[in-house]
Amino acid sequence: MVTKHEDPDCQHCNSRYRSVFCDLHDAQLHDVNLSKHCNHYKKGQIIFHQGMRPAGIFCMNSGKVKLSKTGGEGKEQIVRLARLGDILGYRSLLSNENYSLTAYALEDASICFIPKSTFFTVLAQDANLSMQLMKLLSTDLKHAEEKITEMAQKPVRERLAEALLFIKETYGFTEDGQTLNVALSREDIANVVGTATETAIRLLSELKQDGIINLTGRKIAIIDNQRLINTANLID
Amino acid sequence: MVTKHEDPDCQHCNSRYRSVFCDLHDAQLHDVNLSKHCNHYKKGQIIFHQGMRPAGIFCMNSGKVKLSKTGGEGKEQIVRLARLGDILGYRSLLSNENYSLTAYALEDASICFIPKSTFFTVLAQDANLSMQLMKLLSTDLKHAEEKITEMAQKPVRERLAEALLFIKETYGFTEDGQTLNVALSREDIANVVGTATETAIRLLSELKQDGIINLTGRKIAIIDNQRLINTANLID
DNA sequence: TTCAAAACATGACAAAAGTCATGTTTAAGC
DNA sequence: GCTTAAACATGACTTTTGTCATGTTTTGAA
């Protein structure tokens, strides 16, 4: 399932300056580099599963990942989208709990695994890493609280517009400068927004009718960014 | 507005062993004690306001506080309920942003203020405090992600039942062993649940009709805890 | 390349929840 | 302890959103 490839080197990792490890001292980075190993995942593969025990953290080298929570009736809610340089599984490791989310590869991905022991050793040696992690958790928490508020107060159309802007922020555009650089199914989009798949499909069609976006299969192009922002009705 | 009283002493604070500062060494606790000052707030007063710049953190000595976010149309979403020993404002301070929430006293409260400089000094000296804060942020984040999922997937009746259980967990019962030990307005309850006030009122009446709770003015008594849990339809 | 399964799309309908209106009760301040 | 505004309660109605059914298109595996 998971294929071991030539491991990249943390010192020269293309995601180094995007990650929470960016300020690590050479000695600590060396430790991480020695104990980590890198895995390749195929599209659709699970990196870790809700309920399982964490044994370390994951650092994304390439690819795209969705993190989602499965609710009572088995319905999925996408809580986060991850890309190069993002770390996964730190929340559960820090609070010493089993994973509360499942991580799925949205496309082929290369992801390094850093064992728990190394992570906590480095954490004890580098106060700056603690600070970075606290900042990361703090902003994650702020966004989560904003999302709760929006789920309670905004209609689906506004949340859908916002989700498209969020996807744009996370993965950017392809070379044409307007097509979202990720292939999400309509169901995935519905599970980001927190609505039924049919509703998401209908409202996407509406946005297309309104000339705000374009749809070509799974390709979504934002053709009127300002009107999309207006539609999202963002809070300050 | 804010009255200065005889300051309590951190060493002998009744909330010491409930707070994130519980493991602080004597030297650090001494620093905190010297620089903190304690304020009394009347019911309804604001401790800090969304958008304002944090100058330190707050540590609750007594009373009850709601933390809420004001959405685009001015509607309030209650994000957290705080009690003795809880700290407030740490998220914004850690990520160096303005407050994303407003804190209101639900009843008369006594709350200590610890200046930013002291907080960060102590944080730099005590690695354990970082760890405690990371754990706190991690569990807050987990709960926020669960709430997002529930907002997306559960009907209001289930969320209301869950909110009542949450209030019970936070503030407990009065002496009679079944009346929730806090006076929340129907609007506050609706703003915890994320629904319209009228809907919350209607569904509370339903739960009363069903013999699960009792309502006497603002007093809410849980008379059938198991059925309330069933109604909440909790995820594992 | 073909073909079956999955994903997408859309209509019709049902259910859930919000809004508005109105009357009653409660509680806070004088 | 009055008085009056706020909170609570409830009915009627509307809107939003979800569900089910059905047909079409796409996609991935043989």
Side-chain angles (χ1 to χ4, degrees):
Chain A
M1 295 290 268
V2 174
T3 325
K4 175 112 179 173
H5 281 231
E6 208 57 47
D7 278 11
D9 178 357
C10 292
Q11 266 87 5
H12 308 102
C13 179
N14 55 352
S15 80
R16 177 173 175 195
Y17 295 103
R18 288 207 62 261
S19 98
V20 77
F21 296 121
C22 60
D23 295 328
L24 228 48
H25 294 135
D26 286 347
Q28 277 82 39
L29 198 60
H30 186 70
D31 285 356
V32 169
N33 192 41
L34 282 185
S35 64
K36 72 113 173 40
H37 63 104
C38 194
N39 293 313
H40 272 68
Y41 299 86
K42 287 274 164 204
K43 177 177 174 172
Q45 274 194 316
I46 287 177
I47 295 110
F48 55 80
H49 199 288
Q50 184 171 337
M52 293 296 108
R53 185 150 199 66
I57 70 164
F58 297 85
C59 183
M60 288 193 51
N61 191 44
S62 75
K64 301 185 177 79
V65 166
K66 65 172 174 178
L67 288 126
S68 46
K69 185 163 198 77
T70 303
E73 318 295 311
K75 190 168 157 52
E76 174 189 347
Q77 176 66 34
I78 297 181
V79 164
R80 199 151 74 88
L81 295 172
R83 58 174 169 169
L84 172 149
D86 286 343
I87 57 171
L88 314 175
Y90 56 101
R91 202 213 55 73
S92 299
L93 202 63
L94 284 170
S95 60
N96 192 32
E97 295 169 312
N98 290 348
Y99 288 121
S100 61
L101 304 174
T102 302
Y104 301 87
L106 286 170
E107 55 182 50
D108 292 4
S110 142
I111 304 176
C112 293
F113 175 81
I114 300 162
K116 184 172 169 167
S117 58
T118 306
F119 175 69
F120 279 111
T121 304
V122 170
L123 191 58
Q125 289 166 352
D126 191 323
N128 185 256
L129 180 57
S130 297
M131 201 61 219
Q132 294 295 323
L133 284 169
M134 282 191 277
K135 283 188 181 173
L136 191 56
L137 287 163
S138 293
T139 54
D140 283 356
L141 182 57
K142 184 180 74 167
H143 292 141
E145 288 169 348
E146 280 168 359
K147 181 132 188 178
I148 289 168
T149 306
E150 287 170 352
M151 297 288 287
Q153 301 184 0
K154 286 178 150 199
V156 178
R157 185 181 157 98
E158 293 181 17
R159 301 207 313 264
L160 173 63
E162 192 165 1
L164 295 177
L165 291 167
F166 166 66
I167 293 165
K168 184 193 81 176
E169 288 310 312
T170 309
Y171 296 129
F173 291 130
T174 58
E175 309 74 47
D176 71 358
Q178 58 172 32
T179 302
L180 293 179
N181 192 23
V182 63
L184 291 169
S185 68
R186 299 292 191 259
E187 188 179 1
D188 278 339
I189 293 173
N191 292 343
V192 172
V193 175
T195 189
T197 306
E198 294 93 327
T199 303
I201 289 172
R202 265 183 256 273
L203 293 175
L204 280 171
S205 304
E206 247 183 65
L207 290 177
K208 182 184 179 180
Q209 234 78 74
D210 296 349
I212 297 171
I213 63 171
N214 232 324
L215 299 171
T216 319
R218 286 194 178 177
K219 290 188 199 306
I220 300 176
I222 296 178
I223 56 182
D224 191 337
N225 194 61
Q226 188 53 53
R227 281 219 288 149
L228 189 59
I229 293 172
N230 297 346
T231 304
N233 192 14
L234 297 175
I235 37 176
D236 8 343
Chain B
M1 296 288 267
V2 175
T3 324
K4 176 112 178 174
H5 281 232
E6 208 56 48
D7 279 12
D9 178 359
C10 291
Q11 266 87 5
H12 308 103
C13 179
N14 56 352
S15 81
R16 178 173 174 193
Y17 295 103
R18 288 207 63 260
S19 99
V20 78
F21 296 122
C22 60
D23 295 329
L24 228 50
H25 294 135
D26 285 349
Q28 277 82 37
L29 197 62
H30 185 70
D31 285 357
V32 170
N33 192 41
L34 282 183
S35 64
K36 73 110 175 39
H37 64 104
C38 195
N39 293 314
H40 272 68
Y41 299 86
K42 288 274 163 204
K43 176 176 177 174
Q45 274 194 314
I46 288 177
I47 295 111
F48 55 80
H49 199 287
Q50 184 172 337
M52 294 297 108
R53 186 151 198 66
I57 69 164
F58 296 86
C59 183
M60 289 193 49
N61 191 44
S62 74
K64 301 185 176 80
V65 165
K66 67 172 172 178
L67 288 126
S68 47
K69 187 164 197 74
T70 303
E73 318 296 312
K75 191 170 154 54
E76 173 189 347
Q77 176 66 35
I78 296 181
V79 165
R80 200 152 73 86
L81 295 173
R83 58 172 170 172
L84 171 150
D86 286 343
I87 58 172
L88 313 175
Y90 55 101
R91 201 213 57 72
S92 299
L93 203 63
L94 284 170
S95 61
N96 193 30
E97 296 168 311
N98 291 347
Y99 289 120
S100 60
L101 304 174
T102 302
Y104 302 86
L106 286 170
E107 55 183 52
D108 293 3
S110 142
I111 304 176
C112 293
F113 175 80
I114 300 163
K116 187 173 168 165
S117 57
T118 306
F119 176 69
F120 280 111
T121 304
V122 170
L123 191 58
Q125 289 166 351
D126 190 323
N128 185 257
L129 180 57
S130 297
M131 201 60 219
Q132 294 296 323
L133 284 168
M134 282 191 276
K135 283 189 180 172
L136 191 56
L137 288 163
S138 294
T139 54
D140 284 356
L141 182 57
K142 184 180 74 166
H143 292 141
E145 289 169 347
E146 281 169 358
K147 181 132 187 178
I148 290 168
T149 306
E150 288 172 350
M151 296 290 287
Q153 301 184 0
K154 287 178 151 198
V156 178
R157 184 181 156 98
E158 293 180 17
R159 303 208 312 267
L160 173 64
E162 193 166 0
L164 295 178
L165 291 167
F166 166 66
I167 293 164
K168 183 193 81 174
E169 287 311 312
T170 309
Y171 295 130
F173 290 131
T174 58
E175 308 74 46
D176 70 359
Q178 59 172 31
T179 302
L180 294 178
N181 192 24
V182 63
L184 291 169
S185 68
R186 299 294 192 259
E187 188 179 2
D188 279 337
I189 292 174
N191 292 344
V192 172
V193 174
T195 189
T197 305
E198 295 93 324
T199 303
I201 290 172
R202 266 183 255 274
L203 294 175
L204 280 170
S205 303
E206 248 183 67
L207 290 178
K208 182 183 179 180
Q209 235 77 74
D210 296 349
I212 296 171
I213 63 170
N214 232 323
L215 300 170
T216 319
R218 285 193 178 177
K219 290 187 199 306
I220 300 177
I222 297 179
I223 56 181
D224 191 338
N225 195 61
Q226 188 52 52
R227 281 219 287 151
L228 189 59
I229 292 172
N230 297 345
T231 304
N233 192 13
L234 297 173
I235 37 175
D236 8 342

